């Protein structure tokens, strides 16, 4: 289940909740019981390589196929 980060406007506390995506925008009370909270935008890290694979030297495309002069 995804975790969402919220900040309480009353006390300034930042907290996380695990909840279904369909409930991510629903109101969330802070651990101190205040109801004036806002959902924060979070950066998401996705595994994998950030570099594109190097093109192979054989055929395909204009310059790779030898049609350029």
């Amino acid at each position: 289940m995804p975790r969402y980060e919220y900040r309480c406007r009353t006390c300034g506390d930042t907290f996380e909740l695990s909840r279904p995506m369909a409930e991510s925008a629903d109101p969330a009370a802070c651990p101190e019981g205040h109801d004036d909270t806002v959902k924060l935008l979070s950066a998401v890290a996705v595994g994998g390589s950030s570099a594109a694979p190097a093109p192979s030297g054989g055929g395909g495309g204009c310059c790779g196929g030898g049609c350029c002069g």
Side-chain angles (χ1 to χ4, degrees), residues 13-64:
D13 190 22
T14 300
F15 59 98
E16 293 182 353
L17 291 177
S18 294
R19 52 180 18 181
M21 291 174 68
E23 297 175 11
S24 67
D26 289 354
C30 85
E32 299 296 321
H34 305 121
D35 291 325
D36 189 12
T37 60
V38 62
K39 186 176 128 189
L40 303 176
L41 295 176
S42 301
V44 176
V46 178
S49 174
S50 62
S56 62
C62 180
C63 295

